[in-house]
Amino acid sequence: MSSEVVLQVNSKFSSKYKGGYPLIHQEAITNSRDLKVEGTIIKLVDEKKNFIGKGYYGRQNKGYGWIISQNEHESLNQAFFKRKLTAAIQERRSFYEDKETTAFRVFNGEGDGIGGFTIDYFDGYYLINWYSKGIYTFQPLIIEALKEVVEFKAIYEKKRFDRDGKYIEDDEFVVGKRGEFPIIVKENGVRFAIYLNEGAMVGVFLDQRHVRKTIMEKYSNGKSVLNTFSYTGAFSIFAALGGATKTTSVDLANRSLNRTIEQFSINDIDFEAQDIIVEDVFKYFKYAVKKELKFDTVILDPPSFARSKKHTFSASKDYKNLLKEAIAITEDNGTIVASTNCSSFGMKKFKGFIKDAFKEMNMDYQLMEEFSLPEDFKTIKEFKEGDYLKVVFIKKIG
Ligand code: SAH
């Protein structure tokens, strides 16, 4: 079994951890040197050696591990994991019963009580993402617990950790009957082709479910829609189904072309009536300005950080400029859908970028609606960073 180490919280941080903050930061610990092997059980105590919480050592981004129990006598064994999984599944009952949506998040890390891994459901297939070597030491217990609480076609996993925090290529199949990919799942009746065996990105980002539906229902009918950083074209599919006159999808990655064609096709949409462009978005903006192209709805959903040949994009530094490029090619009274999954800033700062971008472009705007994570991506108030998604619908006033 895993060994145990007692970590003492620096007094400056003890009220934060006593209040339920779950992520262990190196600077909050007086004796982080004592952490040697990932997966070691941590007992967190205050400066008077009073118990605060129990967790494990696992390196993930800036974190050194997660507190996962407030009970000193609770064993972190299979029964513990089973209790947590059962509770999470119970809360997703309505998702399991919904025939029109067959893909959702079952377990959202710290939001469901255990930081470091997530579980998604794709029509009978379960996909676990592991974010540290530390949590992976519990993999056999968690898999056994999951097998006890759900029926499944198969369980797949992705190891999202190595020295650079990158994804490790590996056999991703764990147990069950291997799937034949793509499998087809549904979201509000719309189909998605899912590949669980080809790397970290499986075809859809489940956290944008409400945004896709809103684009389809309110911002597409009779409109031209530009979808930048389009990946498999998920927003374009919903826009087309919502009655868009045309969608234009732009993504740098070669694989996005075939995947977007596939997504349109499985939803019986003629992809040849749509534009699917493999190109750097920033280059496309210049092209659109030169050709005087304008769009009624412009969707911006960049990664938090991306490097292309000519550009480095960092959401926290460059989102304002991205918005300015979008404003220039949005029709008057058109809509910009500004989305970011960057956890290093909150909604207030994001709205600041929007304000500054419109000001610098000498344009007025109106905030129409905003979204954060959907219910299945459960978050806790003690860990604001976990509530990373920010989406704002902005009307450009002409
Ligand atoms: N909006 C998508 C998800 C975007 S994922 C959805 O809802 O499904 C981020 C995408 O941005 C990736 O597919 C990546 O290839 C693309 N990307 C990163 N930098 C880019 C750039 N400079 N120009 C165009 N696409 C880029």
Side-chain angles (χ1 to χ4, degrees), residues 334-345:
T335 306
I336 296 172
V337 182
S339 170
T340 181
N341 60 5
C342 188
S343 58
S344 68
F345 58 87

Side-chain angles (χ1 to χ4, degrees), residues 61-78:
N61 302 332
K62 291 188 190 122
Y64 269 56
W66 294 91
I67 298 301
I68 63 178
S69 173
Q70 258 75 37
N71 178 349
E72 188 167 4
H73 307 292
E74 190 163 33
S75 299
L76 306 182
N77 55 15
Q78 191 172 318

Side-chain angles (χ1 to χ4, degrees), residues 255-310:
R255 57 150 201 257
S256 68
L257 176 61
N258 284 337
R259 287 295 168 84
T260 305
I261 290 174
E262 178 176 49
Q263 298 289 17
F264 277 121
S265 303
I266 61 172
N267 285 291
D268 303 320
I269 302 162
D270 177 11
F271 69 86
E272 291 183 324
Q274 316 294 329
D275 279 343
I276 308 169
I277 300 168
V278 177
E279 192 174 55
D280 191 315
V281 161
F282 297 98
K283 212 171 143 200
Y284 182 79
F285 283 130
K286 294 205 168 48
Y287 164 84
V289 168
K290 206 166 106 203
K291 295 279 174 188
E292 297 181 10
L293 299 181
K294 288 211 165 180
F295 299 86
D296 297 312
T297 301
V298 176
I299 301 163
L300 304 173
D301 183 29
S304 296
F305 190 83
R307 187 173 284 139
S308 67
K309 277 191 206 105
K310 290 227 176 97

Side-chain angles (χ1 to χ4, degrees), residues 192 203 205 208 211-212 215 219-220 223-240 244 246-252 256 260 263-264 274-282 284-285 294-302 319 322 326 329-330 335-339:
F192 280 118
F205 289 96
Q208 297 276 15
V211 179
R212 285 189 278 269
I215 287 173
Y219 299 91
S220 297
K223 303 204 185 309
S224 57
V225 177
L226 173 65
N227 180 11
T228 64
F229 307 94
S230 57
Y231 182 41
T232 57
F235 289 125
S236 309
I237 312 302
F238 276 72
K246 192 169 93 177
T247 67
T248 302
S249 306
V250 184
D251 196 292
L252 190 60
S256 68
T260 305
Q263 298 289 17
F264 277 121
Q274 316 294 329
D275 279 343
I276 308 169
I277 300 168
V278 177
E279 192 174 55
D280 191 315
V281 161
F282 297 98
Y284 182 79
F285 283 130
K294 288 211 165 180
F295 299 86
D296 297 312
T297 301
V298 176
I299 301 163
L300 304 173
D301 183 29
Y319 212 108
L322 177 64
I329 60 164
T330 303
T335 306
I336 296 172
V337 182
S339 170

